Amino acid sequence: MSDIMLHIKNGIVIDPKNGVNAEKMDIFVKNGKIVEESEVSGEVKTIDASNKLVVAGGFDMHAHIAGSKINVGREMRPEEMRTVRLIAGKFRASIGRVLLTSPAIGYEYAKMGYTTAFEAAQPPVGALHTHEELDAIPMIDKAALPVFGNWHFVLKYVAEKDFEKLRAFIAWALERTKGFGVKVVNPGGVEAWMYGGNCKSLDDEVPGFGVTPREIITALIQETENLNLCHSVHLHCNNLGTPGNYETTIESMKLASKFSNEKRQVLHVTHVQFNSYAGSSWRDVASGAAEVAKYVNSVDNITIDMGQPIFGHATAMTGDAPFQFTLHKLTGARWSNKDSEIEGGAGIVPIAYLPKNPVHALQWAIGLELGLLVDSDKVVLSTDYPNGGPFTEYPYVMAMLMSKKMREKELERVSPYVQKATNLPSIDVEKTLYEVIHMTRSLPARVMGMDSKGHLGVGADADIAIYDLNPLEVDPSNDFETVYKAFKTAVYTIKGGEIIAKEGELVKEVWGRTFWVDARNKAAMDAIESDLDDMFEKYYSLQRVNYGVEEAWIKKPERLVMG
Amino acid sequence: MLILKPKFDFEVSVEMEITPSVAKADEQEIKDFEVYYGKKKVKLSELFEIKKEGDEAKLVLEGDFSKVKWVGTRMDEGEIVVKGNIGDHCGAYMTGGKIVVEGNALDWLGAEMKGGEIIVKGNARNYVGCAYYGDMTGMSGGKITVDGNVGNYIGEKMGGGEIEIKGSAGDFIGTEMKDGVIVIHGDCGFVGGDMKGGTIKIKGNFELVPGFKEVEDGFEGDVNAGGKGKVVKIA
Ligand SMILES: [Zn+2]
């Protein structure tokens, strides 16, 4: 945080949280926060933002930027490391084509005007490692979501219907892992995979526990709500990547129907593109996006993110180990499998999305269908980096959502399969600049329960992006190339009141905070003490006393206490 | 034609992605051609004596170039003659033209080359015509001839073209080979591991990995990879 005072002058502001739509305003910054004009005096640095778009810094709520998966990905893909982005000098060396090294991740987000990114799947036993890696990412604020859906404690408490213990366990786990919220990946399925199986439907039983994905998801939503965590359950559905899975997705969403929270959704379903397939096999696979969108639009307690594929290189890496094995069998590409103690697992498979490949083109179209058909207040822009492709292509997705012309142009180069298997060619929706700013700033901040992020109101973090785009003059529908180019490189990226990037050049290396959620005061923590001792004694390869991450080990931790 | 002579003994390696096309440029441009000396970016003229004779796309390297890497990378025309030894990655990714090395070559000779010809009169080291780590296909066209001996991993993931070794080779020849031909006149170690296609012809002694079955004119495998590669003995 900087004590420099800033005056951002004459910018055209879009700030959806505060209902500001392309108004010429001045923004004032002091002590890393946005303040009233009267607060600043004396030595104030002025930035002339005339005719430029001023928005809050971008917020990537679902990316894989740290932890064992991405590191194994880097190891198994040396070819990714041949792209040199920055040779060490004033800043650290940064390399990587799509799978970037840690400094490169921070630098590339910063150049694009993004100031926050959350790691969406942290293996709990690897929490220390994840935080060390997050600490190696400069420029942005961070957090990590530990995975719960296959953790033996969760399976056991759900089987015993001991929800008080489940609640205490979630609070304990978040504290020990310095985690932010409850991530669930293929609930039950990864445990079943240890026995060579999977949980393909919500009612498949998890071997050894006698519980079903339906029960796991429901119980985790219930206790996340009882703890009133910042973020809701963050679900990667069962049956991911399988034709016909849109039904499982909608069925999973329905599990949220009996819960509500006035501040936010009670269930966030992630990278939904991978879970919106109709058809019965890869031969007749089609889009189920319209059905999924219809359901999401009809309820007010669910949000999703797109998981938009980008043509070109990517690396599939998820905590969904059985799916990754299927993908490896399907593509014949390299495969690596991870198992983390009694907590879950993961798999990694290199992939390249090719426009002429019917399945890849279909996935690309489904991501866009979701982005277009789902109400802008419920769908966050994501590529599920690096699963769908690089986050550096968010501007491409933004421009595509705003321009039917651009989509028509792109449709010419993709497999004609999308014409019959999706609705994309006939969708006329063009999201507005205001909506797209919402989908990349204020909405992800709300979904993650971060009041100080994603907006430019007084009291917000001074994370600001200025783009060379005049919202009063630009017509995104026709000027899609201008829009794409403008969002690729921010004219200014300001983090906590400091200018960190200017016109694609890094200005200063800063270190963001790592948020974590402490909900221990909302649960009877003593209830699980003996269970923890017992399970660690019997099943873990390390002792309980050595498990977890102390706050002092993190560079800039910020504890959020749940009230 | 462009003639380069090292001005001094290089202490660290020189990363020099130079192709014969450079010889066509004017003299000042050639002198200013940028290369890395260790981690420093320097001009060609700081490291070499430069002599230009006409505009022909031909490079003559005189002296010891064994610390000079990437010569002829991605070249598509012309000729390079090395009157001495050459460093790693010589002729990598090349698509056309000809490289003649009168001395020895180091590792990664003609890695992932797609066309053209490389002739080494001395020895070469490991990874001749290989794929770089993580890539799916090694050499896919053109021809590499080595008059002397070579090291390990020759033609790994090779997808086409021909490698001819007049001397002996080390272990792991044609590993994961998909197509093309490798000829070894001397002896070598293990051949054909995970081989999918292509042919390896050997005159001397060699060791076959266990995944090969005997067929009429030699051996076929690697059956463990469902391969239809051929390993044959030649006279
Ligand atoms: Zn993900």
Side-chain angles (χ1 to χ4, degrees):
Chain A
M1 202 192 295
S2 116
D3 49 11
I4 302 163
M5 283 178 276
L6 289 181
H7 174 193
I8 300 166
K9 217 167 120 183
N10 280 333
I12 319 284
V13 175
I14 295 184
D15 182 8
K17 186 183 177 185
N18 298 303
V20 179
N21 190 0
E23 287 174 36
K24 198 179 211 181
M25 318 174 37
D26 288 7
I27 304 273
F28 299 90
V29 170
K30 186 184 174 182
N31 293 336
K33 294 277 179 188
I34 291 171
V35 296
E36 303 276 9
E37 181 173 4
S38 58
E39 293 268 319
V40 296
S41 60
E43 210 177 300
V44 181
K45 186 180 162 50
T46 306
I47 294 174
D48 181 10
S50 300
N51 301 318
K52 296 196 166 58
L53 170 66
V54 178
V55 294
F59 190 146
D60 193 348
M61 56 154 284
H62 188 109
H64 301 282
I65 54 174
S68 50
K69 288 194 306 290
I70 184 154
N71 253 332
V72 173
R74 286 170 182 139
E75 279 168 29
M76 70 189 272
R77 301 208 67 185
E79 72 275 22
E80 280 289 316
M81 297 303 151
R82 284 182 212 138
T83 306
V84 177
R85 290 171 177 268
L86 197 69
I87 293 172
K90 193 177 163 200
F91 296 91
R92 285 176 293 157
S94 81
I95 59 170
R97 181 170 58 187
V98 173
L99 268 183
L100 307 178
T101 53
S102 306
I105 288 173
Y107 296 156
E108 295 302 318
Y109 270 124
K111 287 183 197 168
M112 208 175 53
Y114 268 62
T115 49
T116 307
F118 280 12
E119 162 56 51
Q122 177 198 57
V125 72
L128 178 56
H129 176 98
T130 309
H131 282 293
E132 282 172 342
E133 263 193 79
L134 287 175
D135 274 350
I137 300 176
M139 311 310 234
I140 55 172
D141 282 339
K142 299 151 282 196
L145 303 175
V147 293
F148 282 83
N150 294 279
W151 210 341
H152 283 198
F153 289 97
V154 172
L155 302 178
K156 172 178 140 80
Y157 293 141
V158 174
E160 291 166 359
K161 297 196 168 29
D162 198 336
F163 301 119
E164 231 163 84
K165 282 188 175 177
L166 179 62
R167 191 179 321 150
F169 176 72
I170 295 171
W172 173 85
L174 289 178
E175 188 280 323
R176 281 291 76 204
T177 62
K178 297 299 174 282
F180 190 86
V182 176
K183 173 73 183 294
V184 183
V185 177
N186 185 359
V190 184
E191 176 62 20
W193 165 246
M194 309 299 172
Y195 304 88
N198 197 354
C199 287
K200 293 238 161 205
S201 90
L202 291 184
D203 299 308
D204 285 6
E205 235 178 59
V206 185
F209 288 92
V211 292
T212 62
R214 183 186 301 279
E215 292 164 336
I216 300 167
I217 298 166
T218 311
L220 285 170
I221 297 177
Q222 179 185 303
E223 295 318 315
T224 297
E225 291 313 303
N226 282 333
L227 288 166
N228 195 22
L229 300 181
C230 283
H231 182 42
S232 67
V233 161
H234 192 117
L235 176 66
H236 158 138
C237 288
N238 297 81
N239 226 358
L240 178 134
T242 316
N245 65 8
Y246 83 92
E247 292 181 36
T248 316
T249 307
I250 293 173
E251 226 186 306
S252 306
M253 288 173 168
K254 285 183 179 161
L255 300 178
S257 59
K258 55 177 177 241
F259 302 98
S260 67
N261 185 316
E262 57 187 38
K263 282 193 73 179
R264 53 151 173 81
Q265 76 291 346
V266 293
L267 179 65
H268 179 82
V269 185
T270 192
H271 43 68
V272 176
Q273 175 275 127
F274 294 105
N275 276 81
S276 298
Y277 307 150
S280 58
S281 75
W282 288 114
R283 237 176 294 253
D284 66 355
V285 65
S287 170
E291 285 79 4
V292 172
K294 202 169 127 196
Y295 184 77
V296 176
N297 289 338
S298 73
V299 293
D300 59 6
N301 55 0
I302 286 172
T303 52
I304 67 165
D305 63 271
M306 292 162 73
Q308 174 65 39
I310 305 292
F311 292 124
H313 290 278
T315 305
M317 51 175 68
T318 77
D320 196 337
F323 164 67
Q324 294 293 351
F325 181 66
T326 310
L327 185 64
H328 153 69
K329 282 288 183 199
L330 213 62
T331 61
R334 278 163 276 170
W335 168 59
S336 178
N337 184 68
K338 299 272 296 174
D339 175 28
S340 58
E341 308 263 321
I342 58 171
E343 304 174 341
I348 300 115
V349 176
I351 190 165
Y353 294 100
L354 309 171
K356 296 288 179 212
N357 176 310
V359 172
H360 296 171
L362 179 84
Q363 293 178 302
W364 166 87
I366 293 175
L368 290 167
E369 279 187 281
L370 290 166
L372 293 163
L373 297 176
V374 175
D375 179 350
S376 305
D377 200 38
K378 289 171 183 163
V379 57
V380 174
L381 196 145
S382 78
T383 60
D384 189 16
Y385 170 78
N387 286 283
F391 61 79
T392 47
E393 283 303 330
Y394 283 178
Y396 167 83
V397 187
M398 295 167 84
M400 288 285 277
L401 293 175
M402 288 187 274
S403 171
K404 182 158 204 274
K405 261 198 194 135
M406 182 175 177
R407 298 199 295 268
E408 279 165 355
K409 213 171 135 229
E410 288 289 272
L411 276 163
E412 283 171 21
R413 71 178 183 118
V414 309
S415 162
Y417 190 73
V418 302
Q419 300 284 348
K420 62 169 184 182
T422 81
N423 294 318
L424 186 65
S426 62
I427 296 175
D428 292 324
V429 177
E430 290 185 323
K431 299 259 166 167
T432 62
L433 202 49
Y434 184 86
E435 286 173 301
V436 166
I437 295 301
H438 182 47
M439 288 165 70
T440 52
R441 270 91 182 158
S442 32
L443 177 61
R446 189 189 78 205
V447 169
M448 298 315 284
M450 298 291 294
D451 291 338
S452 66
K453 298 259 170 234
H455 70 106
L456 297 173
V458 168
D461 292 344
D463 297 349
I464 305 162
I466 304 175
Y467 295 103
D468 191 9
L469 199 68
N470 185 341
L472 300 171
E473 278 169 11
V474 76
D475 168 17
S477 175
N478 287 309
D479 307 337
F480 50 87
E481 270 160 19
T482 314
V483 170
Y484 170 72
K485 233 182 103 214
F487 281 120
K488 264 276 191 191
T489 312
V491 183
Y492 283 95
T493 305
I494 296 160
K495 175 82 195 66
E498 293 191 84
I499 299 169
I500 57 169
K502 196 176 164 185
E503 278 156 12
E505 298 291 329
L506 303 171
V507 174
K508 189 180 181 196
E509 185 165 79
V510 298
W511 297 96
R513 293 164 289 171
T514 302
F515 301 103
W516 70 278
V517 162
D518 190 345
R520 287 173 296 176
N521 60 358
K522 308 266 298 179
M525 299 306 293
D526 288 344
I528 55 168
E529 275 302 307
S530 65
D531 287 2
L532 287 167
D533 284 339
D534 184 50
M535 292 280 276
F536 270 92
E537 172 98 30
K538 279 189 187 144
Y539 301 116
Y540 266 100
S541 68
L542 75 172
Q543 291 183 313
R544 192 183 156 195
V545 65
N546 293 326
Y547 187 89
V549 184
E550 300 303 326
E551 225 184 2
W553 302 344
I554 297 175
K555 203 174 259 166
K556 283 176 112 181
E558 185 150 331
R559 183 166 78 122
L560 305 173
V561 181
M562 295 302 95
Chain B
M1 182 166 76
L2 185 65
I3 304 163
L4 301 181
K5 273 186 210 168
K7 281 185 169 169
F8 55 94
D9 285 345
F10 301 134
E11 286 188 344
V12 290
S13 60
V14 181
E15 312 255 335
M16 185 162 92
E17 289 190 33
I18 198 167
T19 67
S21 313
V22 173
K24 295 195 279 188
D26 70 58
E27 225 165 308
Q28 196 53 48
E29 227 177 294
I30 294 170
K31 282 181 178 164
D32 292 346
F33 184 80
E34 286 184 323
V35 298
Y36 276 96
Y37 181 55
K39 65 175 186 177
K40 272 189 247 155
K41 217 179 213 179
V42 299
K43 290 179 174 152
L44 201 63
S45 56
E46 292 179 53
L47 302 180
F48 301 97
E49 280 172 23
I50 295 170
K51 201 156 77 182
K52 185 174 150 112
E53 292 172 1
D55 286 342
E56 187 196 355
K58 181 171 175 179
L59 280 179
V60 178
L61 311 182
E62 289 182 11
D64 184 18
F65 279 72
S66 55
K67 278 211 163 92
V68 182
K69 302 178 177 179
W70 302 102
V71 167
T73 293
R74 295 194 171 82
M75 72 183 264
D76 55 358
E77 57 152 4
E79 191 184 354
I80 299 178
V81 177
V82 186
K83 297 182 183 260
N85 299 331
I86 192 71
D88 296 330
H89 310 289
C90 178
Y93 308 110
M94 76 186 273
T95 56
K98 185 176 177 184
I99 300 176
V100 179
V101 180
E102 293 179 358
N104 301 320
L106 292 181
D107 291 337
W108 301 106
L109 179 76
E112 297 191 22
M113 81 183 266
K114 293 182 172 66
E117 191 179 5
I118 302 178
I119 297 165
V120 177
K121 305 257 172 84
N123 303 318
R125 233 161 49 177
N126 309 299
Y127 314 116
V128 174
C130 268
Y132 283 111
Y133 296 139
D135 286 353
M136 303 306 285
T137 307
M139 174 179 184
S140 57
K143 182 168 183 188
I144 301 176
T145 310
V146 180
D147 288 351
N149 303 319
V150 293
N152 303 320
Y153 286 104
I154 307 305
E156 190 207 22
K157 293 198 175 81
M158 187 170 173
E162 188 181 343
I163 299 176
E164 184 174 1
I165 311 295
K166 300 206 173 143
S168 293
D171 271 328
F172 315 123
I173 310 304
T175 302
E176 288 189 68
M177 185 172 176
K178 295 182 271 195
D179 205 350
V181 179
I182 300 175
V183 184
I184 298 172
H185 294 269
D187 304 326
C188 65
F190 283 108
V191 296
D194 267 353
M195 191 177 178
K196 314 244 172 4
T199 310
I200 305 176
K201 301 174 181 174
I202 310 166
K203 209 178 266 178
N205 298 315
F206 62 93
E207 287 195 66
L208 210 51
V209 298
F212 277 76
K213 60 179 182 198
E214 207 163 347
V215 290
E216 223 175 297
D217 51 348
F219 303 91
E220 194 181 275
D222 181 334
V223 295
N224 291 326
K228 292 256 183 276
K230 275 281 177 63
V231 176
V232 296
K233 189 124 177 117
I234 50 169

